[in-house]
Amino acid sequence: MAYQAAYKGYPVTIYDIDQAALTAVKTRINALRPSYQTDLQASDADFDAALSRLTYVSDLAEAVKHADLIIEAIPENLDLKTKFYQQISELAPATAIFSSNSSSLLPSQLAPATDRPARLLNMHFANHIWVNNTAEIMGSSQTDPKVYQEVVTFAKSIGMIPIQLKKEHSSYILNSLLTPLMASGMSLWVNGIADPQTIDKTWMIATGAAMGPFGILDMIGARTLTAVPLPAAIDPDGKITASLKQRLADGKLGVESGEGFYHYPNPEFQQPDFLKA
């Protein structure tokens, strides 16, 4: 999210309380170069110009003191997020807009922690946003419509397609559709019905999709997948959650670690013979 905004011309400050995490972020952002060059035909000069617009800080007051828009993407923990919004309410300019990338918590759950519920909403990004360029925008009943439209305009300016939700919904549109697909695939696997490759192959051949549920799981990553509990209706016996946690413990994080259900950067499902008998 930070790099995409910088790529589109915005000066961006990346904040984390942990200096080691900031170092890791720099590495991950630099690793985007081949993807931007392949997918967006970015030149080295283009990529480097965006890098020059990024600033990394571990001091929260320094990070937000001139902010127009703050996009929060900390773990899906209401207590952590509440503390963060209480802090930035005291530190950020009164004109700053607060936006959460939360995939499960609602703006109305976060608003009580702020001094500006009218200037708070959610903006949820997909993975690989430079090509999967959706930004699901969700306000609460307290969100100022003008602020909402400002964020819609911002989303367009960084190359996103604004997906405007008419009311709060914890899974947005994307995850409401995607979670049952991934859970169904996992259920077939953990219950011994078929292996991940066969499940993905079935979905890809039958629908023409570029990847199946396990390819999607790898793209999202085990770290993110285990951060949000699955509803009991989707994982009644806890087998899916247990399997995902085990993969996290084994370091099979997906694209991030180079291994998940497939191996990266050249996953098996992208090989020419994957869909053949």
Side-chain angles (χ1 to χ4, degrees):
M1 292 179 289
Y3 182 79
Q4 178 67 18
Y7 184 74
K8 289 295 185 176
Y10 288 95
V12 179
T13 299
I14 299 176
Y15 163 78
D16 196 287
I17 196 171
D18 183 4
Q19 191 61 49
L22 288 175
T23 300
V25 167
K26 290 182 183 180
T27 301
R28 290 173 66 184
I29 286 177
N30 277 284
L32 293 173
R33 185 184 297 268
S35 296
Y36 271 74
Q37 290 177 329
T38 299
D39 297 330
L40 300 183
Q41 291 73 55
S43 66
D44 280 325
D46 293 334
F47 194 86
D48 290 340
L51 290 180
S52 72
R53 299 184 193 105
L54 294 172
T55 303
Y56 301 82
V57 301
S58 57
D59 179 85
L60 184 56
E62 177 67 21
V64 304
K65 68 180 182 180
H66 298 306
D68 296 309
L69 171 65
I70 299 170
I71 302 176
E72 162 269 310
I74 61 180
E76 296 291 285
N77 179 299
L78 182 57
D79 290 338
L80 281 178
K81 289 181 185 287
T82 294
K83 181 179 179 181
F84 177 78
Y85 282 106
Q86 289 172 339
Q87 290 177 313
I88 62 173
S89 290
E90 296 179 359
L91 299 171
T95 54
I97 296 171
F98 295 169
S99 174
S100 177
N101 185 46
S102 175
S103 59
S104 61
L105 297 172
L106 302 173
S108 58
Q109 292 175 278
L110 303 173
T114 76
D115 63 345
R116 63 196 77 187
R119 301 185 69 78
L120 178 139
L121 43 61
N122 284 15
M123 181 164 47
H124 181 247
F125 293 86
N127 290 279
H128 297 177
I129 63 170
W130 61 95
V131 287
N132 301 328
N133 59 328
T134 60
E136 297 180 281
I137 302 171
M138 177 200 305
S140 73
S141 60
Q142 295 177 281
T143 304
D144 184 336
K146 292 181 180 179
V147 169
Y148 188 99
Q149 287 305 315
E150 282 187 62
V151 174
V152 168
T153 299
F154 169 77
K156 291 178 180 179
S157 75
I158 62 168
M160 299 298 103
I161 303 298
I163 308 300
Q164 300 182 52
L165 278 71
K166 296 181 178 180
K167 60 173 66 174
E168 290 186 313
H169 183 64
S170 60
S171 295
Y172 300 83
I173 297 171
L174 179 59
N175 285 344
S176 293
L177 298 170
L178 194 58
T179 299
L181 170 66
M182 295 187 298
S184 293
M186 286 287 293
S187 179
L188 290 168
W189 174 54
V190 300
N191 287 297
I193 309 302
D195 60 72
Q197 291 72 30
T198 298
I199 296 165
D200 277 4
K201 185 182 298 187
T202 302
W203 182 256
M204 292 166 70
I205 293 173
T207 67
M211 65 179 69
F214 290 92
I216 297 171
L217 286 161
D218 274 355
M219 181 173 64
I220 295 171
R223 197 188 308 278
T224 299
L225 290 163
T226 54
V228 183
L230 286 172
I234 289 178
D235 187 23
D237 54 12
K239 284 185 178 180
I240 295 174
T241 298
S243 295
L244 289 172
K245 288 184 176 179
Q246 185 59 54
R247 298 187 75 77
L248 180 64
D250 293 342
K252 296 181 179 180
L253 308 182
V255 177
E256 177 186 345
S257 66
E259 182 181 1
F261 294 99
Y262 300 97
H263 298 83
Y264 298 87
N266 299 302
E268 292 81 350
F269 67 82
Q270 289 182 349
Q271 303 310 308
D273 61 349
F274 183 74
L275 299 182
K276 296 179 181 178

